[in-house]
Amino acid sequence: MSFEQFLPLYFFVILGVAMLLYVLLDGFDLGVGLLLPLAPDADKDRMIAAIGPFWDANETWLVLGVGVLLIAFPQAHGQILGALYLPVTAMLIGLILRGVAFDFRVKARDHHKYLWNRSFFAGSLIATLAQGWMLGRYVTGFGEGAGHQAFALLIALTLPAAYVMLGGCWLLLKSEGALQENARRWARASLVPVALGLLLISLATPWVSETVRERWFAMPAFLALLPIPLISVLALAGLAWVLQRPGVRDEFAWLPFVLAVVILLMGFFGLAYSLYPYVIMDRMTLWSAAASTPALTVIFFGTLVTVPAILVYTAFAYWVFRGKSTPLNYG
């Protein structure tokens, strides 16, 4: 493979990794936002404190992904955002609402604080539903018809459950006492809708896309893909089992979050295999959508600096704020 052929593939991988890290990292703090109405008032500040050092930086991966799409695949960028103009707008409104509510809720008087808590939840819900709808429309190549719309709706309804699973497992890791017990219950309650949603999505995906159907069920690819659903089922079963164990609130508090990440990671691998080599399913490959080689070369050297810097900063932040969260303090 020549350097000219390698560059589009490199940026396709960077784009995929950025979106994966966004879902995993911003997913848990969106999940905490979705869980906020279920907690007593005494625990809401502790829930926000559990995501406080991370939530803003987590969105860096979304910015990186959109930036790579714009610069490395400009033709695809125009078509994707053109087709998803309304849900992208809704997602941005939700993320802005979350950011405003996060900062204002801690400064608000007691009789106003509940409004900002509700705003934080509303922003989380709007952003999550919009992301699920966008993913569903993207996977189908923006196909028209009731079947494609129903598929997008299915993913839009499944993604909040997946984020709640991540959020519950994160709170289990970062909290103690009554909040930790509630987090365990919330994570367990999310498993049935997550499992059902993933099953329905797995059944519906080859139905809405002939390309995916051919790629999934052709031999020997079918055998090579079997570990993905098997690992997903084992991870779901393991998560359901470990959330019932007494030790999950002590020395094994990290394990549920790891298993939840594995479940979503398997979904990402299945999606990546289904999409490759398309940037837009059945319409545009990554090579036909790529920018010129001189432009990609300049960006390539830029990413060799920026991507490791973001990874190091992210790892450093999670290392510094490891352990149980402390009370939220803006003093």
Side-chain angles (χ1 to χ4, degrees):
M1 178 181 291
S2 67
F3 186 66
E4 181 178 353
Q5 294 173 316
F6 164 76
L7 284 173
L9 180 59
Y10 167 81
F11 283 104
F12 187 73
V13 172
I14 292 294
L15 176 61
V17 170
M19 292 297 96
L20 171 64
L21 290 175
Y22 172 75
V23 168
L24 295 180
L25 299 181
D26 207 40
F28 75 71
D29 65 60
L30 283 166
V32 171
L34 294 174
L35 289 168
L36 202 63
L38 302 180
D41 290 341
D43 286 338
K44 284 182 170 61
D45 279 349
R46 296 174 61 197
M47 293 172 68
I48 297 297
I51 63 174
F54 315 106
W55 74 276
D56 206 9
N58 291 340
E59 293 175 0
T60 303
W61 296 105
L62 177 63
V63 176
L64 175 64
V66 174
V68 169
L69 181 63
L70 169 63
I71 300 173
F73 305 104
Q75 297 182 56
H77 178 272
Q79 291 194 30
I80 291 171
L81 291 191
L84 299 176
Y85 181 81
L86 289 178
V88 166
T89 302
M91 180 187 70
L92 293 177
I93 291 172
L95 294 177
I96 291 170
L97 184 59
R98 271 169 48 88
V100 172
F102 184 92
D103 287 329
F104 274 78
R105 65 177 299 281
V106 76
K107 302 289 186 179
R109 299 180 185 272
D110 290 341
H111 59 283
H112 288 152
K113 194 170 185 177
Y114 79 97
L115 293 174
W116 293 114
N117 286 334
R118 291 179 181 179
S119 297
F120 193 81
F121 163 75
S124 301
L125 182 61
I126 292 169
T128 302
L129 291 174
Q131 289 173 14
W133 179 265
M134 288 189 291
L135 178 59
R137 297 293 293 132
Y138 176 72
V139 169
T140 61
F142 311 115
E144 300 299 329
H148 293 93
Q149 302 292 334
F151 180 76
L153 180 62
L154 174 61
I155 295 184
L157 295 176
T158 301
L159 192 60
Y163 282 175
V164 164
M165 175 183 69
L166 275 176
C169 292
W170 179 257
L171 288 175
L172 182 64
L173 173 64
K174 301 295 286 185
S175 63
E176 298 175 300
L179 177 56
Q180 190 181 47
E181 175 59 24
N182 284 334
R184 185 179 70 87
R185 292 191 297 103
W186 294 333
R188 285 184 61 192
S190 70
L191 295 185
V192 171
V194 167
L196 181 60
L198 291 178
L199 175 62
L200 292 175
I201 291 170
S202 299
L203 295 175
T205 301
W207 176 66
V208 299
S209 174
E210 183 178 352
T211 300
V212 171
R213 182 165 64 249
E214 292 175 353
R215 300 197 70 183
W216 280 15
F217 297 108
M219 297 295 284
F222 176 77
L223 296 178
L225 289 173
L226 276 180
I228 292 178
L230 291 178
I231 293 174
S232 299
V233 170
L234 290 175
L236 271 167
L239 183 55
W241 180 83
V242 77
L243 286 172
Q244 300 179 33
R245 303 297 99 190
V248 75
R249 294 180 58 182
D250 300 309
E251 66 269 24
F252 294 108
W254 55 271
L255 185 55
F257 187 75
V258 171
L259 291 172
V261 168
V262 169
I263 294 167
L264 295 184
L265 196 60
M266 291 302 103
F268 169 79
F269 287 149
L271 176 62
Y273 174 81
S274 301
L275 288 175
Y276 181 82
Y278 293 105
V279 178
I280 301 178
M281 179 64 78
D282 296 330
R283 294 190 187 184
M284 193 178 294
T285 68
L286 60 98
W287 288 282
S288 64
S292 66
T293 300
L296 291 180
T297 302
V298 173
I299 308 164
F300 170 74
F301 289 108
T303 59
L304 292 182
V305 176
T306 56
V307 174
I310 297 172
L311 286 170
V312 169
Y313 163 79
T314 301
F316 179 73
Y318 279 83
W319 173 256
V320 168
F321 295 102
R322 66 191 183 277
K324 302 297 183 181
S325 61
T326 56
L328 196 64
N329 186 356
Y330 281 69

